Amino acid sequence: VRRLADLFSGELGHAQGLIFMHQGPDTLARQTAFPGDPVGFEAYVNHVHLSEVVGESWRRSQDRREATLDLAHSLVRVWGQRLRGLFPRRSWVFYVDPEDMTVRFHTKRGRKNWLDLSDQAFLYIAGFEVYVQGPAGLQVIWTRKHPTLLTRGTRRLGTRAG
C-alpha cells in the first residue's frame, strides 16, 4: 500500500530544464545515457510498471485488468494536476501501455515525443494511450477507441479513457 501511495505523492525533481520523479541522488546522472535527448531521459526516469506495485494479478481477469487500467488513468490525472500546479507554463505527454500496464511521461517539447505519434498503425497495434496535460487540462490524444484524434483534435479525459 505504501508503494501505491508513493506513486501518487512521490517527490518530483527539476534541474537543467528536466522534470523527473525523484529516484535517488543519481537520478540526474542517468542523463548521460541520453545525450541531447531530454524527452528520452524524462520518459525513462518518469515511468512506472504497475505490475511492480499491484503484482501480476491484473492479468488474471478482465475485472482486475480494468481496475489496473483505472489505476493507470488515475495516475495520469494526479501526475498531470501535480505537474500543472508546479510548472503552470509547461505541458506534458503521458503514455499508458495497457499491454504491460506501464505509465510514463515527459515534458512536451515541440513535436518531439517518446513515440512516433504519426504512426497510427503502431499505436493501434501496440494499444498505447496518449494524453497531454496542458493549460487547457488533460486531453486524450490517442486511444484505440479514438484513433482519429491525432488528426481531428482532442477531447478532455473523463473518468475512463477509451
Side-chain angles (χ1 to χ4, degrees):
V1 174
R2 173 112 176 116
R3 168 94 188 195
L4 186 59
D6 287 345
L7 283 180
F8 287 95
S9 62
E11 184 180 343
L12 292 167
H14 62 95
Q16 302 172 13
L18 301 166
I19 307 295
F20 48 90
M21 295 188 305
H22 187 67
Q23 300 171 1
D26 66 333
T27 301
L28 199 55
R30 296 179 191 164
Q31 181 183 355
T32 59
F34 300 89
D37 185 8
V39 167
F41 169 74
E42 285 184 349
Y44 173 73
V45 297
N46 297 325
H47 81 279
V48 62
H49 299 273
L50 292 178
S51 62
E52 293 176 4
V53 178
V54 300
E56 293 293 328
S57 66
W58 67 271
R59 296 182 189 271
R60 293 190 190 120
S61 74
Q62 186 62 28
D63 287 345
R64 288 181 181 181
R65 180 177 192 77
E66 288 177 15
T68 306
L69 194 54
D70 285 343
L71 173 62
H73 295 147
S74 294
L75 221 79
V76 168
R77 284 191 295 275
V78 169
W79 285 353
Q81 285 298 312
R82 289 187 65 213
L83 288 163
R84 184 176 175 196
L86 292 168
F87 309 99
R89 293 187 182 103
R90 290 191 182 197
S91 296
W92 297 270
V93 183
F94 290 89
Y95 304 87
V96 174
D97 180 353
E99 297 304 315
D100 74 354
M101 293 300 174
T102 300
V103 180
R104 72 179 68 235
F105 72 89
H106 62 78
T107 302
K108 187 166 178 17
R109 291 183 166 84
R111 296 172 78 60
K112 180 149 175 54
N113 292 294
W114 179 68
L115 293 177
D116 179 0
L117 299 183
S118 68
D119 189 349
Q120 294 184 18
F122 168 76
L123 293 172
Y124 185 82
I125 291 167
F128 277 95
E129 299 177 1
V130 184
Y131 307 90
V132 169
Q133 171 69 57
L138 190 61
Q139 298 184 332
V140 178
I141 301 301
W142 173 270
T143 69
R144 280 185 176 162
K145 292 186 180 181
H146 303 283
T148 59
L149 288 174
L150 285 171
T151 55
R152 289 184 22 212
T154 59
R155 71 174 178 83
R156 294 182 69 81
L157 177 64
T159 57
R160 276 281 325 242

